[in-house]
């Protein structure tokens, strides 16, 4: 907060100091929850936004009631561990129709590749999948999770990153009894005997 | 960052954002100009400074010194950019300084002017895209402040999805995983766009001379007998033209479109022993070796 | 009062309505966009919701303006091929702390320059890009393709060379609705007024 304003960089600098231009807490809550991938608890919100938990606990139900009162298509709900945006119940039939129309029953090549990486490298983080495939895996992981082929199976003890693995449903769909029935990878990699050719032409 | 440098950089609006302040800007100090290299370019481009009055060798020396000074912070991108621009400037300056090869008539001047403008256009175009890239970076940074909503599907909709078709079996899945496990190939710098003179016309001139001295006379077909590729045949042909120009051979053709006979014509013995001087400075030789005489 | 102007619209446009109690179109738009993973175009919304495109085209900017006016933490924005929910940019520093994934790495200067050439000259071949930049563009094109910013869009009818263009994702990343919103290139070329000097020295 005592940092001098970075005059040189236009618009891209993170002005993380809670200064005078801090948006109202209600707006910050809306912003964070709009992009949160899972329900977020009050304690986490309080820490992340640097705001008192009591204040947040008061604001969230207020926001939620406001959406109902205004007849919005979305709702803010307290579910399990925290708060999350959902679609309004009365809109569900239309949303469902929309979701079904946009979803292909077949997996894309990107989804298949990611599934392969998860199957053989599990437990694996998004970061590792992205490193193997060369592109961000976020969207594909979401698809595979929605399709119940992949699920969160823990956290990296060091980085805290979510680790993914395949589901029983995946095994069922692949006709396997267990992960040990996945074909071994080694024979598909270039043999070590080929290495000599490469080293000594 | 010193105040003077900040001011100098400020004089050229697009540059500081273009490089994002990552690299120390290259500042030129010449008799008639002091400031950032980009500004120098800008002035030449806007014709406020004559490229013939810029000591490019000094600019190059300073850039080498600049790179040495940077040491570990050496920026390959900056060096590459300098090479491209310096080469263009050199082209430009050469075109401005050299007199026309044949005559100084107006069409020659016009051609020269066009060549010059072409170089200008290329330089300006590159600079325009560079500035556009700075705008792109700015737009992307601005857009990054808006985070799009991309969240997992609500359970009720996920449950409504039809059963997914994986489409492949365990073997194909393993093949995919194996393919992805292979280390990606190291990035290669493609060189196929660089023109490599694989054929030396001078070499072919020597080959023809040796053949003709043995045979006395031969037709083109015979002279090309050993050639494997079209380009070699072309080189033999060019070599013949060159030898004819030098007065070492003669062409005989009995009837129109008939067989062409190439004959070695006697020259003084001194030139004979001086075969290595043949074709010097032509096509493929280092011009610095023996400067080409101005055709006068 | 002004929140319910569309109460009557639902009845008349009930083409594919699963029930009689159809929520206002504005609420349905909010709900559908809440589950969308990419910008959704007006035509797709019109088909999915069985509502006239003109009506949707009128409502979306209205909703978007309403969020701004109310100082909400989220925005509805028309970017790339359609509309999508985003966080408000004034909340960016606080949102960053919560969103770890999906942060796209910065592009190198070479990649940015190549992207600029592709954006303005598309459809364009590698050869032409290399001619403008003075260096081979192969590696950079591969990077830009892997990042989904650039894609193959055809072949040169004469040379058969692959032609490249920018993607919808590129527009999204730039916050643009279409290529016609790209900053014009002409002003970046040193003043045309200087051209006289060049022509007549």
């Amino acid at each position: 907060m005592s940092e001098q304003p970075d005059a040189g960089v236009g618009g891209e600098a993170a002005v993380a100091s809670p200064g005078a231009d801090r948006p109202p807490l209600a707006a910050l809550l809306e912003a964070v929850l709009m992009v949160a991938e899972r329900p977020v608890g009050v304690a986490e919100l309080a820490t992340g936004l640097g705001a008192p938990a009591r204040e947040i606990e008061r604001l969230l139900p207020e926001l939620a009631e406001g959406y109902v009162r205004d007849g919005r298509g979305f709702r803010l709900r307290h579910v399990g561990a925290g708060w999350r945006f959902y679609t309004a119940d009365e809109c569900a039939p239309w949303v469902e129709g929309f979701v079904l129309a946009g979803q292909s029953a077949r997996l894309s090549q990107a989804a298949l590749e990611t599934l392969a990486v998860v199957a053989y490298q599990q437990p694996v983080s998004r970061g590792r999948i992205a490193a193997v495939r060369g592109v961000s895996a976020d969207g594909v992981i979401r698809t595979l999770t929605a399709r119940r082929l992949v699920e969160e199976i823990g956290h990296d003890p060091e980085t805290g990153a979510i680790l993914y693995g395949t589901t029983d449903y995946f095994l069922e769909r692949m006709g396997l009894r267990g992960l040990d029935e996945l074909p071994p990878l080694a024979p598909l990699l270039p043999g070590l005997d080929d290495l000599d050719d490469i080293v000594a032409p | 960052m010193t105040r003077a440098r900040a001011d100098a950089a400020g004089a050229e609006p697009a540059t500081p954002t273009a490089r994002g302040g990552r690299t120390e800007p290259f500042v030129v100090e010449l008799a008639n100009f002091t400031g950032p290299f980009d500004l120098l370019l800008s002035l030449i481009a806007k014709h406020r400074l004559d490229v013939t009055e810029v000591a490019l060798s000094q600019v190059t020396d300073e850039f080498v010194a600049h790179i040495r000074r940077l040491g570990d912070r050496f920026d390959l991108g900056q060096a590459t950019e300098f090479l491209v621009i310096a080469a263009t400037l050199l082209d430009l300056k050469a075109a401005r300084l050299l007199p026309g090869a044949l005559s100084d008539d107006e069409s020659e001047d016009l051609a020269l002017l066009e060549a010059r403008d072409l170089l200008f256009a290329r330089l300006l175009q590159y600079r325009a895209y560079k500035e556009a890239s700075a705008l792109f970076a700015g737009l992307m940074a601005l857009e990054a402040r808006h985070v799009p909503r991309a969240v997992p599907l609500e359970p009720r909709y996920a449950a409504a999805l039809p059963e997914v078709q994986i489409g492949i079996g365990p073997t194909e899945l393993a093949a995919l995983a194996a393919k992805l496990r292979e280390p990606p190939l190291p990035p290669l710098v493609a060189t196929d766009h660089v023109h490599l003179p694989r054929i030396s016309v001078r070499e072919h001139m020597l080959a023809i001379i040796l053949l003709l001295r043995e045979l006395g006379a031969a037709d083109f077909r015979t002279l090309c007998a050993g050639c494997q590729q079209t380009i070699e045949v072309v080189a033999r042909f060019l070599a013949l033209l060159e030898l004819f120009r030098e007065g070492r051979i003669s062409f005989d053709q009995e009837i129109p479109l008939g067989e062409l006979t190439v004959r070695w014509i006697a020259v003084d013995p001194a030139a004979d022993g001086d075969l290595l001087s043949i074709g010097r400075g032509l096509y493929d030789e280092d011009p610095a070796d023996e400067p080409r005489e101005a055709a006068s």
Side-chain angles (χ1 to χ4, degrees), chain B:
Chain B
M1 191 180 241
T2 67
R3 174 143 190 89
R5 185 166 292 152
D7 284 345
E12 175 67 329
T15 311
T17 40
R19 302 224 54 92
R22 271 185 308 129
T23 333
E24 199 178 310
F26 170 44
V27 176
V28 189
E29 278 181 48
L30 301 172
N32 52 351
F33 173 82
T34 300
F37 184 51
D38 265 20
L39 185 57
L40 171 72
L41 274 188
S42 186
L43 288 178
I44 292 173
K46 289 184 177 173
H47 245 236
R48 306 249 155 77
L49 198 63
D50 188 345
V51 68
T52 59
E53 283 167 16
V54 177
L56 288 180
S57 67
Q58 205 179 329
V59 174
T60 307
D61 285 347
E62 284 193 17
F63 187 74
V64 172
H66 170 73
I67 293 228
R68 288 229 173 88
R69 201 167 51 244
L70 285 180
D72 287 346
R73 289 176 298 129
F74 167 75
D75 177 5
L76 186 62
Q78 196 187 26
T80 317
E81 198 173 287
F82 177 82
L83 276 180
V84 171
I85 294 171
T88 311
L89 281 180
L90 200 62
D91 263 5
L92 193 61
K93 190 169 174 178
R96 296 282 315 269
L97 288 178
L98 287 179
L102 296 172
S103 66
D104 280 4
D105 67 32
E106 266 184 39
S107 67
E108 203 67 29
D109 271 355
L110 210 65
L112 215 75
L113 204 70
E114 273 173 13
R116 194 194 66 183
D117 285 350
L118 212 66
L119 288 168
F120 259 134
R122 216 168 67 193
L123 199 65
L124 297 187
Q125 189 190 34
Y126 173 67
R127 282 177 50 75
Y129 284 119
K130 212 177 122 206
E131 290 184 25
S133 77
L135 290 181
F136 278 26
L139 280 173
M140 283 180 170
L142 220 58
E143 184 59 24
R145 289 174 65 83
H146 295 276
V147 183
R149 176 168 166 96
V151 304
L153 210 51
E154 286 173 38
R156 64 169 145 191
Y157 302 125
L161 291 175
E163 193 157 53
V164 64
Q165 302 297 315
I166 297 180
I168 60 172
T171 317
E172 290 98 326
L173 193 77
L176 267 182
K179 199 183 91 195
L180 289 164
R181 218 172 66 168
E182 280 172 31
L185 292 172
L188 290 176
V189 177
T191 52
D192 51 1
H193 60 286
V194 178
H195 173 66
L196 290 175
R198 282 166 297 178
I199 304 292
S200 154
V201 172
R202 189 167 154 248
E203 226 166 69
H204 284 270
M205 283 169 75
L206 289 174
I208 289 173
I209 290 170
L210 290 177
L211 266 172
L212 285 178
R213 288 216 300 194
E214 194 188 317
L215 302 171
D219 57 26
F220 188 61
R221 207 181 312 278
T222 314
L223 288 175
C224 293
C227 294
Q228 306 282 325
Q229 303 167 35
T230 315
I231 183 97
E232 288 178 279
V233 179
V234 172
R236 287 271 155 115
F237 179 70
L238 288 175
L240 279 180
L241 291 183
E242 209 51 55
L243 285 170
F244 181 76
R245 208 183 63 122
E246 288 182 10
R248 293 170 194 259
I249 56 169
S250 70
F251 295 119
D252 291 321
Q253 195 174 27
E254 305 264 327
I255 48 163
L257 297 176
E259 195 73 58
L260 193 69
T261 309
V262 182
R263 209 176 296 278
W264 181 250
I265 49 178
V267 284
D268 56 298
D272 241 46
D274 191 22
L275 276 185
L276 285 180
S277 75
I278 287 170
R280 267 280 159 89
L282 275 175
Y283 305 106
D284 40 25
E285 291 301 333
D286 184 0
D289 232 41
E290 189 176 303
R292 203 171 173 181
E293 291 290 316
S296 51

Side-chain angles (χ1 to χ4, degrees), chain A residues 28-78:
Chain A
L28 291 179
L29 289 170
E30 284 182 326
V32 167
L33 291 171
M34 183 56 69
V35 291
E37 297 223 354
R38 74 203 66 246
V40 189
V42 171
E44 196 183 337
L45 288 168
T47 314
L49 298 176
R54 259 179 312 121
E55 187 76 358
I56 292 172
E57 252 163 13
R58 186 181 63 76
L59 278 171
L60 287 171
E62 216 170 80
L63 276 172
E65 280 156 34
Y67 299 149
V68 177
R69 196 171 51 239
D70 296 348
R72 301 250 166 237
F74 46 80
R75 296 284 181 271
L76 193 56
R77 289 215 187 94
H78 188 190

Side-chain angles (χ1 to χ4, degrees), chain A residues 87-100, chain B residues 156-157:
Chain A
T87 51
D89 283 339
E90 61 270 27
C91 299
W94 287 269
V95 175
E96 194 180 306
F98 184 83
V99 168
L100 292 182
Chain B
R156 64 169 145 191
Y157 302 125

